[in-house]
PDB file of all heavy atoms in Angstrom:
ATOM      1  N   ALA A  99       7.905   2.451 -12.637  1.00 97.00           N
ATOM      2  CA  ALA A  99       7.586   3.667 -11.883  1.00 97.00           C
ATOM      3  C   ALA A  99       8.509   3.818 -10.679  1.00 97.00           C
ATOM      4  O   ALA A  99       9.185   2.882 -10.282  1.00 97.00           O
ATOM      5  CB  ALA A  99       6.125   3.687 -11.464  1.00 97.00           C
ATOM      6  N   LEU A 100       8.498   4.993 -10.122  1.00 98.00           N
ATOM      7  CA  LEU A 100       9.197   5.248  -8.833  1.00 98.00           C
ATOM      8  C   LEU A 100       8.338   6.171  -8.043  1.00 98.00           C
ATOM      9  O   LEU A 100       7.834   7.175  -8.450  1.00 98.00           O
ATOM     10  CB  LEU A 100      10.510   5.959  -9.139  1.00 98.00           C
ATOM     11  CG  LEU A 100      11.422   6.338  -7.948  1.00 98.00           C
ATOM     12  CD1 LEU A 100      12.898   6.425  -8.388  1.00 98.00           C
ATOM     13  CD2 LEU A 100      11.035   7.599  -7.270  1.00 98.00           C
ATOM     14  N   SER A 101       8.008   5.712  -6.791  1.00 97.00           N
ATOM     15  CA  SER A 101       7.311   6.599  -5.840  1.00 97.00           C
ATOM     16  C   SER A 101       8.224   6.980  -4.706  1.00 97.00           C
ATOM     17  O   SER A 101       9.121   6.200  -4.334  1.00 97.00           O
ATOM     18  CB  SER A 101       6.064   5.847  -5.347  1.00 97.00           C
ATOM     19  OG  SER A 101       6.419   4.798  -4.403  1.00 97.00           O
ATOM     20  N   TYR A 114      15.911  10.002 -12.431  1.00 95.00           N
ATOM     21  CA  TYR A 114      15.124   8.924 -13.042  1.00 95.00           C
ATOM     22  C   TYR A 114      14.036   9.371 -13.931  1.00 95.00           C
ATOM     23  O   TYR A 114      13.391   8.580 -14.573  1.00 95.00           O
ATOM     24  CB  TYR A 114      14.489   8.074 -11.895  1.00 95.00           C
ATOM     25  CG  TYR A 114      15.498   7.300 -11.088  1.00 95.00           C
ATOM     26  CD1 TYR A 114      15.923   7.788  -9.827  1.00 95.00           C
ATOM     27  CD2 TYR A 114      16.088   6.126 -11.561  1.00 95.00           C
ATOM     28  CE1 TYR A 114      16.883   7.092  -9.077  1.00 95.00           C
ATOM     29  CE2 TYR A 114      17.021   5.419 -10.753  1.00 95.00           C
ATOM     30  CZ  TYR A 114      17.369   5.903  -9.574  1.00 95.00           C
ATOM     31  OH  TYR A 114      18.315   5.251  -8.812  1.00 95.00           O
ATOM     32  N   GLU A 117      12.983   7.832 -17.551  1.00 93.00           N
ATOM     33  CA  GLU A 117      13.080   6.379 -17.604  1.00 93.00           C
ATOM     34  C   GLU A 117      12.102   5.749 -16.677  1.00 93.00           C
ATOM     35  O   GLU A 117      11.840   4.498 -16.821  1.00 93.00           O
ATOM     36  CB  GLU A 117      14.497   5.933 -17.242  1.00 93.00           C
ATOM     37  CG  GLU A 117      14.985   6.345 -15.885  1.00 93.00           C
ATOM     38  CD  GLU A 117      16.458   5.920 -15.620  1.00 93.00           C
ATOM     39  OE1 GLU A 117      17.332   6.549 -16.143  1.00 93.00           O
ATOM     40  OE2 GLU A 117      16.651   4.909 -14.896  1.00 93.00           O
ATOM     41  N   ARG A 118      11.511   6.465 -15.748  1.00 96.00           N
ATOM     42  CA  ARG A 118      10.434   5.933 -14.849  1.00 96.00           C
ATOM     43  C   ARG A 118       9.326   6.954 -14.671  1.00 96.00           C
ATOM     44  O   ARG A 118       9.583   8.183 -14.777  1.00 96.00           O
ATOM     45  CB  ARG A 118      11.032   5.535 -13.507  1.00 96.00           C
ATOM     46  CG  ARG A 118      11.789   4.183 -13.560  1.00 96.00           C
ATOM     47  CD  ARG A 118      12.240   3.773 -12.192  1.00 96.00           C
ATOM     48  NE  ARG A 118      12.926   2.479 -12.238  1.00 96.00           N
ATOM     49  CZ  ARG A 118      12.302   1.315 -12.099  1.00 96.00           C
ATOM     50  NH1 ARG A 118      11.026   1.261 -11.827  1.00 96.00           N
ATOM     51  NH2 ARG A 118      12.946   0.158 -12.189  1.00 96.00           N
ATOM     52  N   ILE A 129      12.305   6.058  -1.102  1.00 95.00           N
ATOM     53  CA  ILE A 129      12.168   5.770  -2.544  1.00 95.00           C
ATOM     54  C   ILE A 129      11.822   4.312  -2.748  1.00 95.00           C
ATOM     55  O   ILE A 129      12.480   3.427  -2.211  1.00 95.00           O
ATOM     56  CB  ILE A 129      13.438   6.112  -3.293  1.00 95.00           C
ATOM     57  CG1 ILE A 129      13.722   7.601  -3.149  1.00 95.00           C
ATOM     58  CG2 ILE A 129      13.407   5.690  -4.734  1.00 95.00           C
ATOM     59  CD1 ILE A 129      15.170   8.001  -3.600  1.00 95.00           C
ATOM     60  N   VAL A 130      10.810   4.030  -3.618  1.00 95.00           N
ATOM     61  CA  VAL A 130      10.444   2.647  -3.918  1.00 95.00           C
ATOM     62  C   VAL A 130      10.333   2.539  -5.454  1.00 95.00           C
ATOM     63  O   VAL A 130       9.659   3.314  -6.096  1.00 95.00           O
ATOM     64  CB  VAL A 130       9.091   2.276  -3.295  1.00 95.00           C
ATOM     65  CG1 VAL A 130       8.773   0.765  -3.624  1.00 95.00           C
ATOM     66  CG2 VAL A 130       9.113   2.491  -1.796  1.00 95.00           C
ATOM     67  N   PHE A 131      10.990   1.497  -6.023  1.00 96.00           N
ATOM     68  CA  PHE A 131      10.942   1.219  -7.459  1.00 96.00           C
ATOM     69  C   PHE A 131       9.757   0.223  -7.685  1.00 96.00           C
ATOM     70  O   PHE A 131       9.693  -0.791  -7.019  1.00 96.00           O
ATOM     71  CB  PHE A 131      12.209   0.656  -7.956  1.00 96.00           C
ATOM     72  CG  PHE A 131      13.348   1.626  -7.844  1.00 96.00           C
ATOM     73  CD1 PHE A 131      14.182   1.654  -6.704  1.00 96.00           C
ATOM     74  CD2 PHE A 131      13.654   2.510  -8.860  1.00 96.00           C
ATOM     75  CE1 PHE A 131      15.230   2.516  -6.599  1.00 96.00           C
ATOM     76  CE2 PHE A 131      14.710   3.456  -8.756  1.00 96.00           C
ATOM     77  CZ  PHE A 131      15.501   3.399  -7.638  1.00 96.00           C
ATOM     78  N   HIS A 132       8.912   0.539  -8.645  1.00 96.00           N
ATOM     79  CA  HIS A 132       7.750  -0.300  -8.982  1.00 96.00           C
ATOM     80  C   HIS A 132       7.832  -0.823 -10.418  1.00 96.00           C
ATOM     81  O   HIS A 132       8.363  -0.172 -11.256  1.00 96.00           O
ATOM     82  CB  HIS A 132       6.472   0.499  -8.785  1.00 96.00           C
ATOM     83  CG  HIS A 132       6.294   1.070  -7.421  1.00 96.00           C
ATOM     84  ND1 HIS A 132       5.898   0.351  -6.341  1.00 96.00           N
ATOM     85  CD2 HIS A 132       6.384   2.367  -6.986  1.00 96.00           C
ATOM     86  CE1 HIS A 132       5.800   1.137  -5.292  1.00 96.00           C
ATOM     87  NE2 HIS A 132       6.112   2.355  -5.677  1.00 96.00           N
ATOM     88  N   GLY A 133       7.156  -1.946 -10.589  1.00 91.00           N
ATOM     89  CA  GLY A 133       7.073  -2.525 -11.916  1.00 91.00           C
ATOM     90  C   GLY A 133       6.698  -3.994 -11.863  1.00 91.00           C
ATOM     91  O   GLY A 133       5.647  -4.389 -12.294  1.00 91.00           O
ATOM     92  N   THR A 134       7.599  -4.769 -11.209  1.00 87.00           N
ATOM     93  CA  THR A 134       7.295  -6.227 -11.075  1.00 87.00           C
ATOM     94  C   THR A 134       6.833  -6.563  -9.697  1.00 87.00           C
ATOM     95  O   THR A 134       6.553  -7.720  -9.393  1.00 87.00           O
ATOM     96  CB  THR A 134       8.554  -7.009 -11.398  1.00 87.00           C
ATOM     97  OG1 THR A 134       9.630  -6.620 -10.499  1.00 87.00           O
ATOM     98  CG2 THR A 134       8.976  -6.788 -12.866  1.00 87.00           C
ATOM     99  N   ASP A 135       6.759  -5.555  -8.784  1.00 89.00           N
ATOM    100  CA  ASP A 135       6.323  -5.846  -7.428  1.00 89.00           C
ATOM    101  C   ASP A 135       4.856  -6.038  -7.337  1.00 89.00           C
ATOM    102  O   ASP A 135       4.138  -5.676  -8.229  1.00 89.00           O
ATOM    103  CB  ASP A 135       6.775  -4.691  -6.526  1.00 89.00           C
ATOM    104  CG  ASP A 135       6.182  -3.358  -6.900  1.00 89.00           C
ATOM    105  OD1 ASP A 135       6.005  -3.120  -8.128  1.00 89.00           O
ATOM    106  OD2 ASP A 135       5.860  -2.538  -6.005  1.00 89.00           O
ATOM    107  N   ASN A 189      16.798   4.666  -0.363  1.00 61.00           N
ATOM    108  CA  ASN A 189      16.109   3.562  -1.041  1.00 61.00           C
ATOM    109  C   ASN A 189      15.492   2.633   0.029  1.00 61.00           C
ATOM    110  O   ASN A 189      16.186   2.045   0.772  1.00 61.00           O
ATOM    111  CB  ASN A 189      17.142   2.781  -1.910  1.00 61.00           C
ATOM    112  CG  ASN A 189      16.471   1.620  -2.689  1.00 61.00           C
ATOM    113  OD1 ASN A 189      15.471   1.053  -2.243  1.00 61.00           O
ATOM    114  ND2 ASN A 189      17.033   1.309  -3.782  1.00 61.00           N
ATOM    115  N   CYS A 190      14.160   2.608   0.025  1.00 66.00           N
ATOM    116  CA  CYS A 190      13.490   1.883   1.113  1.00 66.00           C
ATOM    117  C   CYS A 190      13.937   0.401   1.249  1.00 66.00           C
ATOM    118  O   CYS A 190      14.091  -0.127   2.315  1.00 66.00           O
ATOM    119  CB  CYS A 190      11.994   1.955   0.883  1.00 66.00           C
ATOM    120  SG  CYS A 190      11.315   3.607   1.225  1.00 66.00           S
ATOM    121  N   PHE A 191      14.101  -0.237   0.092  1.00 67.00           N
ATOM    122  CA  PHE A 191      14.347  -1.672   0.130  1.00 67.00           C
ATOM    123  C   PHE A 191      15.807  -1.957   0.398  1.00 67.00           C
ATOM    124  O   PHE A 191      16.197  -3.149   0.631  1.00 67.00           O
ATOM    125  CB  PHE A 191      13.874  -2.353  -1.123  1.00 67.00           C
ATOM    126  CG  PHE A 191      12.411  -2.690  -1.094  1.00 67.00           C
ATOM    127  CD1 PHE A 191      11.478  -1.685  -1.275  1.00 67.00           C
ATOM    128  CD2 PHE A 191      11.971  -3.949  -0.726  1.00 67.00           C
ATOM    129  CE1 PHE A 191      10.110  -1.950  -1.152  1.00 67.00           C
ATOM    130  CE2 PHE A 191      10.591  -4.209  -0.600  1.00 67.00           C
ATOM    131  CZ  PHE A 191       9.682  -3.194  -0.837  1.00 67.00           C
ATOM    132  N   SER A 223       4.587  -2.509  -0.653  1.00 95.00           N
ATOM    133  CA  SER A 223       5.210  -3.148  -1.796  1.00 95.00           C
ATOM    134  C   SER A 223       5.876  -4.443  -1.382  1.00 95.00           C
ATOM    135  O   SER A 223       6.582  -4.438  -0.333  1.00 95.00           O
ATOM    136  CB  SER A 223       6.189  -2.166  -2.500  1.00 95.00           C
ATOM    137  OG  SER A 223       6.856  -2.864  -3.557  1.00 95.00           O
ATOM    138  N   GLN A 225       8.416  -7.298  -2.876  1.00 92.00           N
ATOM    139  CA  GLN A 225       9.372  -7.445  -4.008  1.00 92.00           C
ATOM    140  C   GLN A 225      10.375  -8.552  -3.854  1.00 92.00           C
ATOM    141  O   GLN A 225      10.714  -8.969  -2.705  1.00 92.00           O
ATOM    142  CB  GLN A 225      10.176  -6.085  -4.144  1.00 92.00           C
ATOM    143  CG  GLN A 225       9.357  -4.903  -4.259  1.00 92.00           C
ATOM    144  CD  GLN A 225      10.175  -3.620  -4.655  1.00 92.00           C
ATOM    145  OE1 GLN A 225      11.389  -3.733  -4.827  1.00 92.00           O
ATOM    146  NE2 GLN A 225       9.458  -2.515  -4.832  1.00 92.00           N
TER     147      GLN A 225
END
Side-chain angles (χ1 to χ4, degrees):
L100 181 156
S101 70
Y114 293 99
E117 58 184 77
R118 285 184 176 268
I129 297 168
V130 184
F131 296 92
H132 302 285
T134 59
D135 59 324
N189 181 331
C190 288
F191 277 78
S223 176
Q225 303 192 0

